Amino acid sequence: MFYRDERLALFIDGSNLYAAAKSLGFDIDYKLLRQEFMRRGKLLRAFYYTALLENDDYSPIRPLVDWLHYNGFSLVTKPAKEFVDGQGRRKVKGNMDIELTVDAMELAPRIDHIVLFSGDGDFRPLIESLQRQGVRVSVVSTIRSNPPMIADELRRQADNFIELDELKDVIGRPPREPREELNAPEMVEE
C-alpha cells in the first residue's frame, strides 16, 4: 500500500478519529502514529483538525492540542459552537470539513499519497478530486464498530482502506479512566 519514496501527508479529522478509536476501546498515541507513517514513506505534513471551545476555563482537548502543536503536527482549529439539545444536554458543534478539504487540495500538487483519518462520507468528492490529480488516497477508519464508523461510499472511493483496529497494536494505548466532569459537552458533527 505504501512506497518508501512517496511523499505522504496525514489529514486527521480529530473528532472522527477519536470517536472511531473510542468505539474500538483504545486511545491513539499520536507520537506512535506519526512514527508509523514516517516509516511508511516521506512524511511531509501531519495535519490535525478540531474545533475548540474558547470560552471554557478548561477544555479536555487542550492538552492534546498543545502536545500535537509542539510535536510536529500542523494544528488547524476554529471556535466551536455550543448549544443545548432537546434533552437539555450541552453539545459542541464544530465541523472542520472545509478546512481539511482546502488544505488537501492546496497540497495535492506536492504529494503522492494522502492518508485521511476519517469515516465521513462528505469527503468522497475530495478523494475523487485528489485521485484525478494523481494522488493516491488511503482512508483510516473502522468497519468493526457497531455501527461501522466509515461511510460505504468513502471506503469504496479510497485507493486503500486501513482498518483502525488493525493499527491498534502499533498506534494505540489503553484508554484512560474518564474524568467525571459536570456538564461536559459532547462533540457532534453538523
Side-chain angles (χ1 to χ4, degrees), residues 1-2 10 12 17 20-21 24-40 115-118 138-144 160-174:
M1 284 194 287
F2 290 84
L10 309 181
I12 301 169
L17 179 59
L24 295 171
F26 74 99
D27 288 333
I28 303 291
D29 183 322
Y30 288 94
K31 181 178 181 182
L32 294 176
L33 182 146
R34 193 165 179 274
Q35 288 172 350
E36 174 62 19
F37 286 92
M38 286 174 73
R39 188 183 64 72
R40 292 183 183 207
V115 182
L116 174 64
F117 291 80
S118 182
S138 293
V139 173
V140 179
S141 190
T142 186
I143 58 172
R144 294 184 181 162
N160 302 303
F161 169 68
I162 301 170
E163 172 56 56
L164 181 61
D165 196 37
E166 292 175 9
L167 291 176
K168 186 176 184 174
D169 293 338
V170 179
I171 67 167
R173 66 172 190 243

Side-chain angles (χ1 to χ4, degrees), residues 111-152:
I111 56 175
D112 303 307
H113 193 159
I114 282 180
V115 182
L116 174 64
F117 291 80
S118 182
D120 188 340
D122 290 344
F123 289 122
R124 193 204 58 74
L126 168 64
I127 292 175
E128 189 175 31
S129 176
L130 291 167
Q131 290 167 330
R132 283 194 305 267
Q133 295 178 61
V135 177
R136 291 186 333 115
V137 182
S138 293
V139 173
V140 179
S141 190
T142 186
I143 58 172
R144 294 184 181 162
S145 59
N146 192 8
M149 297 292 289
I150 186 167
D152 191 53

Side-chain angles (χ1 to χ4, degrees), residues 172-189:
R173 66 172 190 243
R176 290 188 224 137
E177 289 298 314
R179 289 187 192 170
E180 289 298 319
E181 294 186 40
L182 225 44
N183 298 324
E186 180 182 328
M187 186 68 135
V188 296
E189 285 285 327

